[in-house]
Amino acid sequence: MKEAAPALIGTSGDSLREAFGRALAELGAERSDFVVCDADIAGGTGTHHFRKAWPDRFYQFGIAEQNMMAAAGGMAATGLIPFVTTFAVFALRALEQARLQIAYPRRNVKIVASHPGLDVGPDGASAQALEDLAAYRALPGMTVISPADPVEMRLATRAVLAHDGPVYMRSGRSNARVLFDDNHEFRIGRGRELRPGTDVTLIACGVEVARALDAAGILAAEGIAARVVNMATIKPLDRAIVERAARDTGAIVTAEDHNVIGGLGGAVAEALAEGTPCPVEFVGVSDRFGESGEPEELAEAYGLTGPHIAAAARRAIARKRKG
């Protein structure tokens, strides 16, 4: 039975990092079995909310992300559930420790990384992690999540804590559009159809979900019915919703604030190649580094905004008709 589409709001809201920090502080009152590990950037990850509420469960490692990641694996071995918090680019710095001390022994550690993709903005290329989803998706047994708005971020934080196993989850630096109301449901491994459509499907994660909805509006004005799917879980991917979209619409566009190689687009293409092949267009950063600029300006310059997603949808539809 098809799930009802969630209510969409569209107003400006909190950043995902602040929503994450507030959710952690709330959860601290409900559970005492988790701790937060910080690398001297609690103000940048939102975990300052938890630090203020539960200082005895907040561990400061300083600027030593690799040590923090390894220590979190040790903490998890004792039964604690560590949330390792840092910027996405620094989570890449500690990938080896995440691999050997967390993923390999399947420790119950939650890695939550702020400032991903071009959302970092003026900090420039050195701080813009455009390959984190690909890197962590490739780790065996690692669940990979990228919520779309502050409401989903709070729900995902709860789900991640309840999940048994290692998780990598993106948050975000900039204020995000609120897409969902309090009745929204989040389940790890499940995509959600936000808008029906029969001509093409737009599958997006993170900040690109709002832009995919913008694209669907642009296409609707042209008589093109675009289905929009929020794929907050990149791994394990909801293959059923992807294959259904391929059968129903025959053309797909993926959209992510990430390199077009190895992230959401790669996951969707892999699923389609094994099940229901169809034309796919990839919206993301085209295998290059970013640059300094405001997030929305960069999104436009790198082809991530609604009009660019709409253009990719037209290309996918044209390929479908030729086939």
Side-chain angles (χ1 to χ4, degrees):
M1 181 177 177
K2 185 177 176 181
E3 296 181 32
L8 304 177
I9 299 175
T11 57
S12 179
D14 232 346
S15 65
L16 269 64
R17 57 177 171 167
E18 288 295 305
F20 165 65
R22 290 192 177 96
L24 277 184
E26 293 171 5
L27 286 166
E30 301 172 20
R31 296 181 57 163
S32 60
D33 58 347
F34 74 93
V35 298
V36 172
C37 302
D38 172 59
D40 203 25
I41 47 174
T45 60
T47 55
H48 59 95
H49 295 290
F50 187 88
R51 178 180 62 191
K52 181 178 179 181
W54 311 100
D56 293 341
R57 293 157 59 189
F58 184 88
Y59 291 87
Q60 177 57 259
F61 283 84
I63 305 174
E65 294 85 4
Q66 292 157 316
N67 289 344
M68 177 174 65
M69 203 76 76
M75 290 178 176
T78 72
L80 287 173
I81 305 173
F83 275 85
V84 178
T85 60
T86 186
F87 293 169
V89 73
F90 300 143
L92 287 168
R93 173 189 294 169
L95 184 64
E96 179 184 357
Q97 287 71 30
R99 176 178 180 269
L100 289 177
Q101 274 74 46
I102 296 173
Y104 177 61
R106 203 180 181 278
R107 301 295 186 204
N108 196 17
V109 177
K110 320 304 176 184
I111 304 165
V112 182
S114 181
H115 292 58
L118 298 176
D119 181 62
V120 176
D123 290 352
S126 64
Q128 292 164 350
L130 295 169
E131 62 278 12
D132 58 314
L133 297 179
Y136 276 88
R137 188 169 79 91
L139 291 180
M142 182 71 69
T143 294
V144 179
I145 298 171
S146 182
D149 83 336
V151 173
E152 190 163 70
M153 186 78 222
R154 291 194 295 272
L155 295 172
T157 302
R158 287 183 170 271
V160 161
L161 179 57
H163 176 75
D164 181 20
V167 175
Y168 178 84
M169 180 165 69
R170 275 182 161 191
S171 63
R173 174 181 181 268
S174 303
N175 287 352
R177 218 182 307 176
V178 177
L179 302 178
F180 308 119
D181 64 19
D182 291 336
N183 294 320
H184 180 58
E185 295 181 359
F186 172 84
R187 291 176 61 185
I188 292 174
R190 291 290 297 275
R192 295 292 302 276
E193 183 179 315
L194 306 185
R195 180 171 176 147
T198 55
D199 296 321
V200 64
T201 300
L202 314 178
I203 302 177
C205 65
V207 296
E208 289 300 292
V209 174
R211 293 169 181 157
L213 289 165
D214 291 341
I218 294 169
L219 294 166
E222 303 170 10
I224 298 172
R227 181 177 302 185
V228 179
V229 173
N230 171 24
M231 194 67 78
T233 306
I234 292 102
K235 181 187 175 186
L237 189 77
D238 188 343
R239 290 181 173 234
I241 201 170
V242 171
E243 292 180 2
R244 185 164 64 248
R247 289 193 301 269
D248 292 348
T249 69
I252 286 177
V253 175
T254 64
E256 58 196 310
D257 184 5
H258 185 270
N259 195 333
V260 292
I261 297 172
L264 173 64
V268 169
E270 290 162 15
L272 291 172
E274 293 180 2
T276 312
C278 75
V280 184
E281 293 286 329
F282 305 98
V283 172
V285 179
S286 299
D287 198 27
R288 55 182 173 143
F289 288 99
E291 59 188 296
S292 182
E294 292 304 316
E296 286 302 317
E297 294 174 342
L298 291 171
E300 176 59 33
Y302 283 75
L304 306 186
T305 57
H308 291 284
I309 298 172
R314 296 184 200 103
R315 293 194 299 271
I317 292 169
R319 289 172 56 196
K320 174 179 68 171
R321 289 171 178 167
K322 285 182 180 178

